Amino acid sequence: MIKNIPSFVKNITIEPAFLLYTATYVIAELTGINLFIQKKCRVNITSEPDLSTPCDEEKQGIVFASEMITYLRFTMLFLCTLYGAIAMCWSDEAGRRRRPLIFLPIIGLILQSVCGCFHSYYWTWDPFYGALCNVICEVISGGIPLMTFASQAYVCDVSEVKSRTMRLGVFSAARTLGDLCGFGSAGFILRRFGFFYTHFICFVLCLVTLILAVSFVKDVSVQVEKKRHFWQQINFLQIFSSFKVVFKKSLGGKRYIVAMLLIIYIMVFFSTQGENSVQYLFLRYKFHWDERDYSSYVIYRYIGVILGSVFCSVVLSKLLKLHDGVIGTLAAFWDTLAAFGYLFASQNWHLYVVPLFDVFHGAVLSVSLSFFSKYYAPDELGRLICVVGVLGLVIPVCYPAYSTIFRETLDFFPSAYFVLSIAINIIVVFLYISTYFLSEKLNQHESTRNE
């Protein structure tokens, strides 16, 4: 086992930096949401309040935070996704330059943490401007969409086709573990240190993330005949030419599989982002949980999700060698059952039973990405991620969709937004089944033709 440690270390690339970035991003986001709630629900407060005391107007704070999610988060994610699509297109044209696109979001989160410190110290500042500052920092740096796109492309660059599902599964587990660390610690850190020092901790963690990225993310770029500057890539004809690469004629019938997998990826990301955007507000309002209750619950839930992601990538994919379509169908089916559980949960103990059906929550995304990435050459992966980014421009709609349903049903059925997730998951199950049978049919046809 000791002899295998150097080999394991050599295989570490983006995972530690992405894990810490995700954790820091979640801590900063949850702290920001609580900052908005506290500034709106407290009356005549001029300095940071004691969080152990109840709010004067709890519903007013929750409604304001939901509105910020609806409008500002929608704008931010739309622009960042467009930014990420353009950046990935440039990355391929510049010879698979991924490192700058990984460093930039980390720098943006550093600026966001500094902004949070100022808005925590000057308590009388309007929370709207604090939310606006966060959006500006994310938009100019690409935010979490660019970090995700660039990291996924980098993992594909450094992994062989036969091990790509496992490597992307490990990457998905790192992302889930980052969410676990972020959500699991945010409430306790906030209660222990307050808003100002929590944002300062995020600043320090961002610096560590940048060091990890510089240390472990190696340069995988190749020389190109004609280098293109980033601003030259802001050409929508160039962006949409990526669709010709992704849906190239040489794929034949596999183009239908790619199309369905792209739809799956977008739909799952849509529902995941939508649920996460209002989950804390939902639990705070319906079950009267505070930051620490939420953090404890997330630790419990995400441990199962991490185990499920590892089980899918290592046991089902690597050891049992199940088809990606079969793995995706199983994961989407269990996601559907979990959504039903959250919809009808009415007691605290219900919430601790549902995650037992939600263990494959992170597997659907990694399986779909691995599935269709196997059809492309290394110098086409950036174009593939670009197409994912362009199609992903519909994902920001999840913020107004989920938060509007949440606000409109707040007084009589606050969990109603899970109906939307159930509908999406059912469609995903049928799409995965279709990709499996179509893939098997095409493979049999190719085998017969080769004979």
Side-chain angles (χ1 to χ4, degrees), residues 1 3-18 151 154-160 162-164 166-171 174 212 215-218 220 318:
M1 180 176 178
K3 294 181 179 179
N4 292 329
I5 292 178
S7 176
F8 172 75
V9 172
K10 290 180 181 179
N11 289 327
I12 295 176
T13 55
I14 186 61
E15 292 84 4
F18 189 81
S151 299
Y154 182 83
V155 171
C156 291
D157 286 334
V158 299
S159 60
E160 298 178 356
K162 63 181 180 181
S163 64
R164 191 167 292 165
M166 187 190 71
R167 288 294 298 268
L168 286 171
V170 173
F171 174 78
L212 288 174
S215 302
F216 288 103
V217 179
K218 307 302 180 183
V220 295
K318 186 174 178 62

mmCIF file of all heavy atoms in Angstrom, residues 1 3-18 151 154-160 162-164 166-171 174 212 215-218 220 318:
data_model
loop_
_atom_site.group_PDB
_atom_site.id
_atom_site.type_symbol
_atom_site.label_atom_id
_atom_site.label_comp_id
_atom_site.label_asym_id
_atom_site.label_seq_id
_atom_site.Cartn_x
_atom_site.Cartn_y
_atom_site.Cartn_z
ATOM 1 N N MET A 1 0.822 -1.208 0.000
ATOM 2 C CA MET A 1 0.000 0.000 0.000
ATOM 3 C C MET A 1 0.856 1.258 0.000
ATOM 4 O O MET A 1 0.560 2.239 -0.672
ATOM 5 C CB MET A 1 -0.919 -0.017 1.218
ATOM 6 C CG MET A 1 -1.834 1.193 1.318
ATOM 7 S SD MET A 1 -2.967 1.057 2.724
ATOM 8 C CE MET A 1 -3.826 2.620 2.563
ATOM 9 N N LYS A 3 3.763 1.563 -1.294
ATOM 10 C CA LYS A 3 4.357 1.754 -2.611
ATOM 11 C C LYS A 3 3.412 2.472 -3.557
ATOM 12 O O LYS A 3 3.843 3.120 -4.518
ATOM 13 C CB LYS A 3 4.737 0.395 -3.202
ATOM 14 C CG LYS A 3 5.853 -0.310 -2.442
ATOM 15 C CD LYS A 3 6.172 -1.639 -3.101
ATOM 16 C CE LYS A 3 7.308 -2.356 -2.362
ATOM 17 N NZ LYS A 3 7.612 -3.662 -2.988
ATOM 18 N N ASN A 4 2.105 2.373 -3.307
ATOM 19 C CA ASN A 4 1.127 2.990 -4.192
ATOM 20 C C ASN A 4 0.898 4.460 -3.894
ATOM 21 O O ASN A 4 0.261 5.164 -4.670
ATOM 22 C CB ASN A 4 -0.223 2.261 -4.093
ATOM 23 C CG ASN A 4 -0.143 0.863 -4.654
ATOM 24 O OD1 ASN A 4 0.633 0.607 -5.566
ATOM 25 N ND2 ASN A 4 -0.951 -0.046 -4.102
ATOM 26 N N ILE A 5 1.405 4.946 -2.772
ATOM 27 C CA ILE A 5 1.165 6.337 -2.390
ATOM 28 C C ILE A 5 1.751 7.318 -3.398
ATOM 29 O O ILE A 5 1.070 8.253 -3.821
ATOM 30 C CB ILE A 5 1.710 6.607 -0.962
ATOM 31 C CG1 ILE A 5 0.863 5.837 0.064
ATOM 32 C CG2 ILE A 5 1.692 8.098 -0.657
ATOM 33 C CD1 ILE A 5 1.340 5.994 1.484
ATOM 34 N N PRO A 6 3.015 7.160 -3.857
ATOM 35 C CA PRO A 6 3.543 8.104 -4.852
ATOM 36 C C PRO A 6 2.707 8.132 -6.120
ATOM 37 O O PRO A 6 2.483 9.192 -6.706
ATOM 38 C CB PRO A 6 4.950 7.572 -5.113
ATOM 39 C CG PRO A 6 5.308 6.809 -3.887
ATOM 40 C CD PRO A 6 4.037 6.194 -3.433
ATOM 41 N N SER A 7 2.230 6.961 -6.575
ATOM 42 C CA SER A 7 1.387 6.907 -7.772
ATOM 43 C C SER A 7 0.082 7.648 -7.541
ATOM 44 O O SER A 7 -0.410 8.364 -8.416
ATOM 45 C CB SER A 7 1.113 5.450 -8.140
ATOM 46 O OG SER A 7 0.238 5.370 -9.231
ATOM 47 N N PHE A 8 -0.490 7.495 -6.351
ATOM 48 C CA PHE A 8 -1.726 8.188 -6.026
ATOM 49 C C PHE A 8 -1.531 9.698 -6.016
ATOM 50 O O PHE A 8 -2.345 10.454 -6.537
ATOM 51 C CB PHE A 8 -2.239 7.709 -4.665
ATOM 52 C CG PHE A 8 -3.415 8.495 -4.142
ATOM 53 C CD1 PHE A 8 -4.675 8.298 -4.681
ATOM 54 C CD2 PHE A 8 -3.250 9.441 -3.139
ATOM 55 C CE1 PHE A 8 -5.765 9.018 -4.217
ATOM 56 C CE2 PHE A 8 -4.328 10.161 -2.666
ATOM 57 C CZ PHE A 8 -5.592 9.941 -3.201
ATOM 58 N N VAL A 9 -0.421 10.125 -5.436
ATOM 59 C CA VAL A 9 -0.122 11.561 -5.378
ATOM 60 C C VAL A 9 0.047 12.133 -6.778
ATOM 61 O O VAL A 9 -0.396 13.245 -7.075
ATOM 62 C CB VAL A 9 1.141 11.814 -4.525
ATOM 63 C CG1 VAL A 9 1.568 13.275 -4.613
ATOM 64 C CG2 VAL A 9 0.889 11.425 -3.075
ATOM 65 N N LYS A 10 0.672 11.346 -7.671
ATOM 66 C CA LYS A 10 0.868 11.821 -9.044
ATOM 67 C C LYS A 10 -0.461 12.036 -9.757
ATOM 68 O O LYS A 10 -0.551 12.872 -10.659
ATOM 69 C CB LYS A 10 1.729 10.816 -9.824
ATOM 70 C CG LYS A 10 3.186 10.773 -9.392
ATOM 71 C CD LYS A 10 3.950 9.748 -10.214
ATOM 72 C CE LYS A 10 5.410 9.680 -9.771
ATOM 73 N NZ LYS A 10 6.168 8.662 -10.542
ATOM 74 N N ASN A 11 -1.478 11.277 -9.371
ATOM 75 C CA ASN A 11 -2.777 11.384 -10.021
ATOM 76 C C ASN A 11 -3.622 12.526 -9.476
ATOM 77 O O ASN A 11 -4.684 12.816 -10.015
ATOM 78 C CB ASN A 11 -3.562 10.070 -9.880
ATOM 79 C CG ASN A 11 -2.964 8.966 -10.732
ATOM 80 O OD1 ASN A 11 -2.436 9.219 -11.814
ATOM 81 N ND2 ASN A 11 -3.031 7.737 -10.242
ATOM 82 N N ILE A 12 -3.184 13.160 -8.400
ATOM 83 C CA ILE A 12 -3.912 14.305 -7.852
ATOM 84 C C ILE A 12 -3.685 15.513 -8.755
ATOM 85 O O ILE A 12 -2.552 15.870 -9.056
ATOM 86 C CB ILE A 12 -3.443 14.628 -6.423
ATOM 87 C CG1 ILE A 12 -3.793 13.483 -5.469
ATOM 88 C CG2 ILE A 12 -4.081 15.921 -5.925
ATOM 89 C CD1 ILE A 12 -3.277 13.685 -4.068
ATOM 90 N N THR A 13 -4.767 16.129 -9.202
ATOM 91 C CA THR A 13 -4.646 17.297 -10.068
ATOM 92 C C THR A 13 -5.508 18.438 -9.534
ATOM 93 O O THR A 13 -5.126 19.108 -8.589
ATOM 94 C CB THR A 13 -5.056 16.935 -11.510
ATOM 95 O OG1 THR A 13 -6.381 16.365 -11.509
ATOM 96 C CG2 THR A 13 -4.095 15.924 -12.104
ATOM 97 N N ILE A 14 -6.668 18.594 -10.111
ATOM 98 C CA ILE A 14 -7.536 19.723 -9.771
ATOM 99 C C ILE A 14 -8.385 19.455 -8.528
ATOM 100 O O ILE A 14 -8.920 20.382 -7.916
ATOM 101 C CB ILE A 14 -8.459 20.047 -10.973
ATOM 102 C CG1 ILE A 14 -9.291 21.319 -10.745
ATOM 103 C CG2 ILE A 14 -9.386 18.860 -11.274
ATOM 104 C CD1 ILE A 14 -8.471 22.553 -10.553
ATOM 105 N N GLU A 15 -8.483 18.190 -8.103
ATOM 106 C CA GLU A 15 -9.445 17.819 -7.067
ATOM 107 C C GLU A 15 -9.295 18.601 -5.756
ATOM 108 O O GLU A 15 -10.297 19.121 -5.240
ATOM 109 C CB GLU A 15 -9.386 16.306 -6.782
ATOM 110 C CG GLU A 15 -9.873 15.441 -7.917
ATOM 111 C CD GLU A 15 -8.817 15.163 -8.965
ATOM 112 O OE1 GLU A 15 -7.657 15.588 -8.757
ATOM 113 O OE2 GLU A 15 -9.134 14.519 -9.972
ATOM 114 N N PRO A 16 -8.078 18.727 -5.163
ATOM 115 C CA PRO A 16 -7.985 19.468 -3.894
ATOM 116 C C PRO A 16 -8.388 20.941 -4.027
ATOM 117 O O PRO A 16 -9.109 21.468 -3.178
ATOM 118 C CB PRO A 16 -6.498 19.344 -3.524
ATOM 119 C CG PRO A 16 -6.012 18.159 -4.271
ATOM 120 C CD PRO A 16 -6.783 18.142 -5.541
ATOM 121 N N ALA A 17 -7.935 21.595 -5.103
ATOM 122 C CA ALA A 17 -8.274 23.003 -5.293
ATOM 123 C C ALA A 17 -9.759 23.183 -5.534
ATOM 124 O O ALA A 17 -10.390 24.104 -4.992
ATOM 125 C CB ALA A 17 -7.469 23.588 -6.463
ATOM 126 N N PHE A 18 -10.353 22.293 -6.346
ATOM 127 C CA PHE A 18 -11.785 22.418 -6.631
ATOM 128 C C PHE A 18 -12.609 22.137 -5.384
ATOM 129 O O PHE A 18 -13.629 22.808 -5.141
ATOM 130 C CB PHE A 18 -12.182 21.459 -7.752
ATOM 131 C CG PHE A 18 -13.581 21.679 -8.262
ATOM 132 C CD1 PHE A 18 -13.844 22.685 -9.171
ATOM 133 C CD2 PHE A 18 -14.624 20.891 -7.817
ATOM 134 C CE1 PHE A 18 -15.129 22.907 -9.634
ATOM 135 C CE2 PHE A 18 -15.914 21.099 -8.272
ATOM 136 C CZ PHE A 18 -16.169 22.109 -9.192
ATOM 137 N N SER A 151 -12.481 22.924 -15.033
ATOM 138 C CA SER A 151 -12.011 21.767 -14.269
ATOM 139 C C SER A 151 -12.426 20.460 -14.928
ATOM 140 O O SER A 151 -11.643 19.495 -14.988
ATOM 141 C CB SER A 151 -12.549 21.830 -12.833
ATOM 142 O OG SER A 151 -12.096 22.998 -12.171
ATOM 143 N N TYR A 154 -10.262 19.896 -17.881
ATOM 144 C CA TYR A 154 -8.915 19.516 -17.450
ATOM 145 C C TYR A 154 -8.867 18.046 -17.046
ATOM 146 O O TYR A 154 -7.915 17.323 -17.392
ATOM 147 C CB TYR A 154 -8.467 20.403 -16.287
ATOM 148 C CG TYR A 154 -7.066 20.115 -15.817
ATOM 149 C CD1 TYR A 154 -5.967 20.669 -16.459
ATOM 150 C CD2 TYR A 154 -6.838 19.280 -14.728
ATOM 151 C CE1 TYR A 154 -4.675 20.393 -16.035
ATOM 152 C CE2 TYR A 154 -5.555 19.000 -14.294
ATOM 153 C CZ TYR A 154 -4.473 19.553 -14.953
ATOM 154 O OH TYR A 154 -3.203 19.272 -14.542
ATOM 155 N N VAL A 155 -9.889 17.582 -16.310
ATOM 156 C CA VAL A 155 -9.940 16.168 -15.909
ATOM 157 C C VAL A 155 -9.994 15.281 -17.143
ATOM 158 O O VAL A 155 -9.318 14.246 -17.217
ATOM 159 C CB VAL A 155 -11.153 15.907 -14.993
ATOM 160 C CG1 VAL A 155 -11.342 14.412 -14.766
ATOM 161 C CG2 VAL A 155 -10.960 16.607 -13.649
ATOM 162 N N CYS A 156 -10.788 15.678 -18.139
ATOM 163 C CA CYS A 156 -10.852 14.898 -19.385
ATOM 164 C C CYS A 156 -9.503 14.902 -20.100
ATOM 165 O O CYS A 156 -9.103 13.900 -20.698
ATOM 166 C CB CYS A 156 -11.937 15.466 -20.301
ATOM 167 S SG CYS A 156 -13.623 15.214 -19.694
ATOM 168 N N ASP A 157 -8.791 16.034 -20.046
ATOM 169 C CA ASP A 157 -7.484 16.136 -20.698
ATOM 170 C C ASP A 157 -6.470 15.157 -20.114
ATOM 171 O O ASP A 157 -5.662 14.576 -20.851
ATOM 172 C CB ASP A 157 -6.931 17.564 -20.563
ATOM 173 C CG ASP A 157 -7.641 18.551 -21.465
ATOM 174 O OD1 ASP A 157 -8.169 18.119 -22.498
ATOM 175 O OD2 ASP A 157 -7.663 19.749 -21.126
ATOM 176 N N VAL A 158 -6.483 15.006 -18.806
ATOM 177 C CA VAL A 158 -5.429 14.233 -18.136
ATOM 178 C C VAL A 158 -5.830 12.780 -17.873
ATOM 179 O O VAL A 158 -5.070 12.046 -17.239
ATOM 180 C CB VAL A 158 -5.023 14.907 -16.803
ATOM 181 C CG1 VAL A 158 -4.476 16.297 -17.049
ATOM 182 C CG2 VAL A 158 -6.201 14.955 -15.826
ATOM 183 N N SER A 159 -7.003 12.356 -18.347
ATOM 184 C CA SER A 159 -7.440 10.980 -18.107
ATOM 185 C C SER A 159 -7.608 10.236 -19.419
ATOM 186 O O SER A 159 -7.947 10.819 -20.444
ATOM 187 C CB SER A 159 -8.760 10.960 -17.321
ATOM 188 O OG SER A 159 -9.777 11.631 -18.038
ATOM 189 N N GLU A 160 -7.370 8.930 -19.385
ATOM 190 C CA GLU A 160 -7.592 8.090 -20.551
ATOM 191 C C GLU A 160 -9.084 7.801 -20.702
ATOM 192 O O GLU A 160 -9.846 7.907 -19.737
ATOM 193 C CB GLU A 160 -6.825 6.775 -20.393
ATOM 194 C CG GLU A 160 -5.312 6.956 -20.296
ATOM 195 C CD GLU A 160 -4.598 5.634 -20.084
ATOM 196 O OE1 GLU A 160 -5.303 4.610 -19.947
ATOM 197 O OE2 GLU A 160 -3.356 5.636 -20.051
ATOM 198 N N LYS A 162 -10.714 5.024 -21.075
ATOM 199 C CA LYS A 162 -11.216 3.902 -20.290
ATOM 200 C C LYS A 162 -11.373 4.225 -18.801
ATOM 201 O O LYS A 162 -12.141 3.569 -18.101
ATOM 202 C CB LYS A 162 -10.302 2.687 -20.461
ATOM 203 C CG LYS A 162 -8.882 2.902 -19.954
ATOM 204 C CD LYS A 162 -8.032 1.663 -20.190
ATOM 205 C CE LYS A 162 -6.598 1.870 -19.677
ATOM 206 N NZ LYS A 162 -5.760 0.673 -19.916
ATOM 207 N N SER A 163 -10.640 5.242 -18.329
ATOM 208 C CA SER A 163 -10.722 5.608 -16.904
ATOM 209 C C SER A 163 -11.475 6.916 -16.685
ATOM 210 O O SER A 163 -11.533 7.409 -15.560
ATOM 211 C CB SER A 163 -9.316 5.732 -16.305
ATOM 212 O OG SER A 163 -8.593 6.786 -16.920
ATOM 213 N N ARG A 164 -12.067 7.450 -17.745
ATOM 214 C CA ARG A 164 -12.670 8.790 -17.632
ATOM 215 C C ARG A 164 -13.902 8.794 -16.738
ATOM 216 O O ARG A 164 -14.107 9.727 -15.963
ATOM 217 C CB ARG A 164 -13.011 9.321 -19.022
ATOM 218 C CG ARG A 164 -13.386 10.795 -19.024
ATOM 219 C CD ARG A 164 -13.409 11.350 -20.428
ATOM 220 N NE ARG A 164 -12.062 11.385 -20.994
ATOM 221 C CZ ARG A 164 -11.820 11.550 -22.286
ATOM 222 N NH1 ARG A 164 -12.816 11.677 -23.148
ATOM 223 N NH2 ARG A 164 -10.577 11.596 -22.732
ATOM 224 N N MET A 166 -14.457 6.907 -14.168
ATOM 225 C CA MET A 166 -13.993 6.853 -12.787
ATOM 226 C C MET A 166 -13.404 8.191 -12.351
ATOM 227 O O MET A 166 -13.709 8.690 -11.261
ATOM 228 C CB MET A 166 -12.947 5.757 -12.619
ATOM 229 C CG MET A 166 -12.537 5.528 -11.170
ATOM 230 S SD MET A 166 -11.111 4.448 -10.978
ATOM 231 C CE MET A 166 -9.810 5.495 -11.595
ATOM 232 N N ARG A 167 -12.573 8.820 -13.220
ATOM 233 C CA ARG A 167 -11.941 10.092 -12.855
ATOM 234 C C ARG A 167 -12.978 11.198 -12.681
ATOM 235 O O ARG A 167 -12.887 12.006 -11.752
ATOM 236 C CB ARG A 167 -10.927 10.509 -13.929
ATOM 237 C CG ARG A 167 -9.644 9.681 -13.956
ATOM 238 C CD ARG A 167 -8.813 9.879 -12.693
ATOM 239 N NE ARG A 167 -8.373 11.229 -12.528
ATOM 240 C CZ ARG A 167 -7.212 11.711 -12.961
ATOM 241 N NH1 ARG A 167 -6.379 10.908 -13.603
ATOM 242 N NH2 ARG A 167 -6.869 12.963 -12.743
ATOM 243 N N LEU A 168 -13.975 11.236 -13.571
ATOM 244 C CA LEU A 168 -15.033 12.231 -13.423
ATOM 245 C C LEU A 168 -15.916 11.920 -12.221
ATOM 246 O O LEU A 168 -16.462 12.826 -11.590
ATOM 247 C CB LEU A 168 -15.877 12.302 -14.696
ATOM 248 C CG LEU A 168 -15.212 13.007 -15.882
ATOM 249 C CD1 LEU A 168 -16.031 12.825 -17.150
ATOM 250 C CD2 LEU A 168 -15.021 14.503 -15.594
ATOM 251 N N GLY A 169 -16.035 10.636 -11.882
ATOM 252 C CA GLY A 169 -16.760 10.273 -10.667
ATOM 253 C C GLY A 169 -16.038 10.757 -9.425
ATOM 254 O O GLY A 169 -16.664 11.252 -8.484
ATOM 255 N N VAL A 170 -14.704 10.622 -9.416
ATOM 256 C CA VAL A 170 -13.900 11.130 -8.301
ATOM 257 C C VAL A 170 -14.013 12.662 -8.235
ATOM 258 O O VAL A 170 -14.127 13.246 -7.151
ATOM 259 C CB VAL A 170 -12.426 10.706 -8.456
ATOM 260 C CG1 VAL A 170 -11.558 11.373 -7.400
ATOM 261 C CG2 VAL A 170 -12.303 9.190 -8.348
ATOM 262 N N PHE A 171 -13.995 13.299 -9.408
ATOM 263 C CA PHE A 171 -14.162 14.754 -9.457
ATOM 264 C C PHE A 171 -15.524 15.153 -8.904
ATOM 265 O O PHE A 171 -15.646 16.124 -8.142
ATOM 266 C CB PHE A 171 -14.016 15.247 -10.900
ATOM 267 C CG PHE A 171 -14.312 16.705 -11.083
ATOM 268 C CD1 PHE A 171 -13.386 17.668 -10.736
ATOM 269 C CD2 PHE A 171 -15.525 17.119 -11.604
ATOM 270 C CE1 PHE A 171 -13.655 19.022 -10.899
ATOM 271 C CE2 PHE A 171 -15.815 18.459 -11.769
ATOM 272 C CZ PHE A 171 -14.873 19.411 -11.419
ATOM 273 N N ALA A 174 -15.406 14.926 -5.269
ATOM 274 C CA ALA A 174 -14.696 16.074 -4.692
ATOM 275 C C ALA A 174 -15.616 17.289 -4.621
ATOM 276 O O ALA A 174 -15.610 18.035 -3.638
ATOM 277 C CB ALA A 174 -13.463 16.402 -5.543
ATOM 278 N N LEU A 212 -2.938 25.722 -3.950
ATOM 279 C CA LEU A 212 -3.166 24.340 -4.374
ATOM 280 C C LEU A 212 -3.299 24.237 -5.894
ATOM 281 O O LEU A 212 -2.773 23.306 -6.514
ATOM 282 C CB LEU A 212 -4.423 23.780 -3.710
ATOM 283 C CG LEU A 212 -4.336 23.462 -2.215
ATOM 284 C CD1 LEU A 212 -5.696 23.070 -1.676
ATOM 285 C CD2 LEU A 212 -3.325 22.342 -1.965
ATOM 286 N N SER A 215 0.025 24.612 -7.535
ATOM 287 C CA SER A 215 0.912 23.480 -7.247
ATOM 288 C C SER A 215 0.541 22.209 -8.005
ATOM 289 O O SER A 215 1.416 21.489 -8.492
ATOM 290 C CB SER A 215 0.916 23.190 -5.741
ATOM 291 O OG SER A 215 1.324 24.325 -5.004
ATOM 292 N N PHE A 216 -0.761 21.904 -8.093
ATOM 293 C CA PHE A 216 -1.186 20.609 -8.621
ATOM 294 C C PHE A 216 -1.712 20.647 -10.051
ATOM 295 O O PHE A 216 -1.722 19.615 -10.718
ATOM 296 C CB PHE A 216 -2.265 19.995 -7.714
ATOM 297 C CG PHE A 216 -1.730 19.500 -6.400
ATOM 298 C CD1 PHE A 216 -1.915 20.232 -5.237
ATOM 299 C CD2 PHE A 216 -1.046 18.299 -6.323
ATOM 300 C CE1 PHE A 216 -1.428 19.780 -4.026
ATOM 301 C CE2 PHE A 216 -0.556 17.834 -5.115
ATOM 302 C CZ PHE A 216 -0.740 18.576 -3.958
ATOM 303 N N VAL A 217 -2.191 21.792 -10.506
ATOM 304 C CA VAL A 217 -2.740 21.864 -11.862
ATOM 305 C C VAL A 217 -1.600 22.165 -12.823
ATOM 306 O O VAL A 217 -1.103 23.291 -12.891
ATOM 307 C CB VAL A 217 -3.845 22.940 -11.965
ATOM 308 C CG1 VAL A 217 -4.385 23.005 -13.394
ATOM 309 C CG2 VAL A 217 -4.967 22.631 -10.990
ATOM 310 N N LYS A 218 -1.196 21.149 -13.562
ATOM 311 C CA LYS A 218 -0.076 21.299 -14.487
ATOM 312 C C LYS A 218 -0.556 21.851 -15.833
ATOM 313 O O LYS A 218 -1.725 21.739 -16.189
ATOM 314 C CB LYS A 218 0.627 19.954 -14.694
ATOM 315 C CG LYS A 218 1.047 19.277 -13.401
ATOM 316 C CD LYS A 218 1.968 20.162 -12.572
ATOM 317 C CE LYS A 218 2.382 19.460 -11.284
ATOM 318 N NZ LYS A 218 3.230 20.331 -10.427
ATOM 319 N N VAL A 220 -1.229 21.652 -19.448
ATOM 320 C CA VAL A 220 -1.442 20.591 -20.441
ATOM 321 C C VAL A 220 -1.647 21.184 -21.837
ATOM 322 O O VAL A 220 -2.068 20.478 -22.750
ATOM 323 C CB VAL A 220 -2.677 19.736 -20.067
ATOM 324 C CG1 VAL A 220 -2.438 18.994 -18.774
ATOM 325 C CG2 VAL A 220 -3.933 20.600 -19.959
ATOM 326 N N LYS A 318 -16.120 0.825 -12.723
ATOM 327 C CA LYS A 318 -14.786 0.234 -12.889
ATOM 328 C C LYS A 318 -14.771 -1.270 -12.659
ATOM 329 O O LYS A 318 -14.204 -2.031 -13.460
ATOM 330 C CB LYS A 318 -13.787 0.910 -11.943
ATOM 331 C CG LYS A 318 -12.341 0.451 -12.167
ATOM 332 C CD LYS A 318 -11.380 1.245 -11.315
ATOM 333 C CE LYS A 318 -9.948 0.753 -11.511
ATOM 334 N NZ LYS A 318 -9.497 0.923 -12.913
#
